[in-house]
Amino acid sequence: VQLQASGGGLVQPGGSLKLSCVVSGNIFSINGMDWYQQAPGNKRELVASITSGGITNYADSVKGRFTISRDNTKNTVYLQMNSLKPEDTAVYYCKAVYVKTTKWGLGMDYWGKGTLVTVSS
């Protein structure tokens, strides 16, 4: 199982970016999908999460600005980021929660390598 995140880059304050993360491999099911951010010198923190049924949760710092969504047919999770601020600058990591490769096997969590978002004028 591999996760590939993309969509990061340099954007001006107030701008928008959309991150994508594709989960590939021998996948039977994926439970939750999350986005984390890690700014330089800081610990990795949860930004947004979405369950297999579409229930979402957000960190207070991004509520009203970021939207997480997923396409279960493509095993892909998205993060639409609007009204970006310099403090949103970080490496963004996606995480697939409790991924099962067979119907009867146990699930595991997997991380992507991250994509850098820089918000600067």
Side-chain angles (χ1 to χ4, degrees), residues 33 48-51 53-58 63 66-70:
M33 300 185 83
S49 62
I50 186 167
T51 68
I55 298 172
T56 59
N57 192 37
Y58 298 93
K63 280 181 181 177
F66 291 9
T67 302
I68 188 171
S69 61
R70 66 190 283 177

Side-chain angles (χ1 to χ4, degrees), residues 31 34 76:
N31 193 347
D34 304 336
T76 301

Side-chain angles (χ1 to χ4, degrees), residues 7-121:
L10 174 64
V11 63
Q12 293 186 340
S16 298
L17 280 176
K18 186 173 184 177
L19 307 183
S20 300
C21 177
V22 181
V23 186
S24 61
N26 185 22
I27 300 165
F28 177 78
S29 64
I30 302 172
N31 193 347
M33 300 185 83
D34 304 336
W35 285 100
Y36 285 74
Q37 66 177 194
Q38 187 168 19
N42 290 357
K43 64 179 181 180
R44 196 173 297 185
E45 296 182 334
L46 180 64
V47 172
S49 62
I50 186 167
T51 68
S52 58
I55 298 172
T56 59
N57 192 37
Y58 298 93
D60 288 343
S61 60
V62 306
K63 280 181 181 177
R65 299 189 299 122
F66 291 9
T67 302
I68 188 171
S69 61
R70 66 190 283 177
D71 184 337
N72 292 330
T73 65
K74 298 180 179 179
N75 291 328
T76 301
V77 63
Y78 306 97
L79 186 67
Q80 177 68 47
M81 304 186 295
N82 299 329
S83 303
L84 282 161
K85 305 175 181 179
E87 51 263 43
D88 295 321
T89 295
V91 177
Y92 285 75
Y93 297 89
C94 55
K95 177 183 175 183
V97 178
Y98 204 75
V99 179
K100 297 178 68 174
T101 55
T102 63
K103 183 177 181 180
W104 306 111
L106 295 177
M108 290 181 57
D109 296 350
Y110 294 88
W111 289 89
K113 289 187 177 180
T115 184
L116 177 62
V117 172
T118 303
V119 185
S120 175
S121 55

